[in-house]
Amino acid sequence: MIRLTDEQWECIRKRFPEEHIADGRPGRRPVPTRRVLEAVLWILNTGAQWHMLPQSYPNYKTVHRRFQNWCHNEVLRRVLTDVANELRENGALDEEECFIDATFAMAKGGGAEIGPTRRGKGLKIMAIVDRHGLPLSVSTHAANHHEVRLVQLCFDFYMIEAKPENLIGDRAYDSDVLDEELRSQGIEMIAPHRSNRVRSLTQDRRRLRRYTRRWLVERFFAWIQWRRRLLVRWEFYPQNFLGFVQLACLLILFRQF
């Protein structure tokens, strides 16, 4: 059984919509949102199919319908954004030094935003984390897109208002065009040069010392991959898989309260 603590639920309760039935209208009483969310978290952790939801939780059809509504209406994204901004106000998030990377996930259920690669069909989970390894942006994209082209899309899912001062990535982000685009936004890109680089070197070796802490973003991916539903994308709709990723990030941020 998975249960949210009272403190965790109070932190997000006002941001989740409750279903209402008009007075005098026949039908069952709506299932409380807290119970639905706990059922979705059980699916996230176990990776089980929806119909395998234990009887101690609400009916799986109700849970699945409510979860899809949250994903379609971007409820989970707004909840995650509000929690991240609250943590920033409390000093728990530090955007001065951030790290960016992507991880691959197989896609078995078909649907949109899936791309072919040498490893098979799948998608990329892109993430930006702060200097403590806490998520500031998570998004999913087809796996056949190069990561350099996805950086700007990551900022469309950025959770807090302040952009990072230094953004650190691996050699995949070594791009003069990307450096100029981010510098115009007040962001300094720090990435080791590729071995086949033709143009002159642009990175300062002293600033590249920050690269040694890039393990923080790798640790973040290890954290979310403990949630078995994220190892393989079975959802047909990409927003549903993104919803599971956002819930995994929410559980990470809960640790800071």
Side-chain angles (χ1 to χ4, degrees):
M1 296 292 292
I2 295 178
R3 291 288 183 259
L4 293 172
T5 65
D6 293 338
E7 293 78 10
Q8 292 172 341
W9 176 241
E10 285 299 321
C11 179
I12 61 177
R13 178 177 59 84
K14 296 181 180 179
R15 302 175 177 96
F16 272 96
E18 293 281 359
E19 284 193 333
H20 298 281
I21 293 181
D23 294 339
R25 179 182 173 185
R28 297 180 179 178
R29 296 181 58 184
V31 179
T33 298
R34 181 174 180 175
R35 295 187 59 202
V36 175
L37 179 57
E38 290 172 343
V40 175
L41 292 178
W42 186 89
I43 296 291
L44 171 65
N45 282 351
T46 63
Q49 299 178 13
W50 288 100
H51 72 271
M52 297 177 65
L53 196 66
Q55 294 184 355
S56 56
Y57 292 108
N59 183 273
Y60 79 92
K61 294 182 180 179
T62 299
V63 175
H64 187 220
R65 173 179 57 82
R66 297 273 289 273
F67 172 70
Q68 288 195 108
N69 289 339
W70 293 343
C71 297
H72 178 74
N73 298 321
E74 296 189 339
V75 172
L76 298 175
R77 178 178 176 179
R78 291 195 295 270
V79 170
L80 193 59
T81 299
D82 292 343
V83 172
N85 280 283
E86 182 177 347
L87 287 175
R88 182 175 181 268
E89 293 176 359
N90 296 335
L93 294 179
D94 188 351
E95 73 280 356
E96 178 183 354
E97 181 181 76
C98 296
F99 303 86
I100 185 172
D101 203 1
T103 188
F104 177 80
M106 294 290 292
K108 302 290 188 178
E113 297 185 14
I114 294 176
T117 66
R118 294 179 180 178
R119 300 173 61 182
K121 295 188 298 183
L123 74 159
K124 289 180 178 178
I125 303 175
M126 294 282 295
I128 299 176
V129 303
D130 75 341
R131 68 189 313 168
H132 305 301
L134 301 177
L136 298 180
S137 171
V138 286
S139 55
T140 58
H141 313 273
N144 57 338
H145 294 306
H146 197 281
E147 293 175 26
V148 168
R149 301 179 180 178
L150 300 176
V151 174
Q152 293 294 346
L153 295 178
C154 285
F155 285 106
D156 293 339
F157 292 86
Y158 202 68
M159 302 176 196
I160 62 178
E161 297 180 0
K163 295 292 182 67
E165 299 179 17
N166 299 283
L167 186 62
I168 303 161
D170 58 18
R171 288 179 173 82
Y173 301 92
D174 178 24
S175 168
D176 293 339
V177 176
L178 177 62
D179 292 347
E180 291 298 326
E181 290 179 355
L182 295 180
R183 193 171 291 118
S184 64
Q185 304 174 37
I187 304 172
E188 188 68 26
M189 185 73 214
I190 302 175
H193 293 298
R194 297 191 303 270
S195 58
N196 61 347
R197 183 180 178 88
V198 177
R199 297 185 180 181
S200 59
L201 304 182
T202 60
Q203 294 287 342
D204 187 337
R205 290 186 178 180
R206 292 171 297 180
R207 296 179 62 83
L208 277 174
R209 294 174 183 173
R210 300 173 182 264
Y211 181 75
T212 59
R213 294 188 290 275
R214 203 184 66 85
W215 59 269
L216 289 166
V217 68
E218 300 290 352
R219 184 183 65 176
F220 164 76
F221 286 128
W223 281 344
I224 66 172
Q225 286 173 347
W226 276 100
R227 316 296 176 181
R228 294 186 177 181
R229 193 73 180 196
L230 302 184
L231 296 179
V232 176
R233 174 184 148 178
W234 295 101
E235 283 69 37
F236 183 83
Y237 298 105
Q239 64 267 24
N240 290 356
F241 183 79
L242 178 60
F244 278 122
V245 176
Q246 291 168 337
L247 280 177
C249 293
L250 183 62
L251 294 177
I252 293 174
L253 294 182
F254 271 158
R255 301 174 187 172
Q256 308 305 310
F257 287 96

